[in-house]
Amino acid sequence: MGELTVHYAGNYSVGGAILTEYNNLGGASGVLGAAITDETSTPNSPWGSGRYNHFQKDGSIYWTAGTGAHEVHGAIHDKWATLGWEQAMGFPTTDETTTPDGIGRYNAFQTGSIYWTPSTGAHDVRGAIRDKWASLGYERSVLGYPISDEMNDPAGKRSNFQNGYMIFNSTTGVATAYYNNGTPV
């Protein structure tokens, strides 16, 4: 694919699949604004390496051969950055998307997801806990949206939700959902 130079406090190159995604999002007048970095290689991560550009309006587009090009922006972008970018959760596998209930937004990544609502903020849900939450219906489940990031728990890992919590037992490999009063879902 061709290369485009975008002007914003200098010249920055955006090319290939990242350029296609960028143009699909409206280019410099879209949700991301103008590029503020050249297209750059990511450091190697457990999920391989890729390429990215950062943009003016608190967003980025990341690309790998396996995931394609996907944008991450706003509070989800900021959360992913604080977690360690692709080093922590892998590369994005979706663009930021509105949740089916219309209240929140999310991006899926290779090893988890980050969900955001105006009332809960942005929180990550990973691995077996995300898989169990998915089997219950995600945000439409009895648990609702995540209200904490995944954290260590004496049994393994834990994530808190609006109406309960989930614990991944690292010994058994099982994630179990609980209401806030401790009763299993």
Side-chain angles (χ1 to χ4, degrees):
M1 295 192 164
E3 185 173 286
L4 168 73
T5 300
V6 178
H7 298 280
Y8 178 75
N11 295 325
Y12 300 101
S13 64
V14 182
I18 292 175
L19 174 61
T20 301
E21 176 76 355
Y22 181 61
N23 286 336
N24 289 341
L25 295 167
S29 61
V31 66
L32 296 176
I36 59 171
T37 66
D38 284 324
E39 185 174 313
T40 305
S41 294
T42 63
N44 284 333
S45 76
W47 301 276
S49 61
R51 299 190 62 77
Y52 69 92
N53 279 90
H54 292 310
F55 297 89
Q56 174 187 19
K57 296 181 182 175
D58 196 22
S60 304
I61 298 174
Y62 276 72
W63 171 90
T64 72
T67 62
H70 297 286
E71 63 85 20
V72 183
H73 69 273
I76 293 173
H77 177 267
D78 295 346
K79 174 58 71 176
W80 189 43
T82 64
L83 294 171
W85 304 103
E86 72 278 357
Q87 298 295 321
M89 295 182 70
F91 291 91
T93 59
T94 67
D95 293 335
E96 185 173 306
T97 304
T98 301
T99 55
D101 69 2
I103 296 170
R105 299 189 63 78
Y106 72 95
N107 273 91
F109 298 86
Q110 288 172 300
T111 65
S113 300
I114 298 174
Y115 277 75
W116 171 89
T117 73
S119 64
T120 63
H123 299 287
D124 69 299
V125 184
R126 304 183 195 197
I129 291 177
R130 181 183 69 171
D131 295 346
K132 178 69 173 179
W133 187 48
S135 76
L136 295 172
Y138 292 105
E139 74 281 355
R140 290 182 171 182
S141 73
V142 296
L143 294 177
Y145 281 93
I147 60 170
S148 76
D149 293 331
E150 183 177 276
M151 63 188 94
N152 290 327
D153 181 88
K157 297 290 184 182
R158 176 181 172 137
S159 289
N160 295 327
F161 295 83
Q162 290 171 307
N163 304 311
Y165 58 96
M166 203 170 308
I167 294 177
F168 169 72
N169 185 310
S170 57
T171 302
T172 65
V174 174
T176 305
Y178 299 91
Y179 292 104
N180 282 329
N181 67 8
T183 304
V185 170

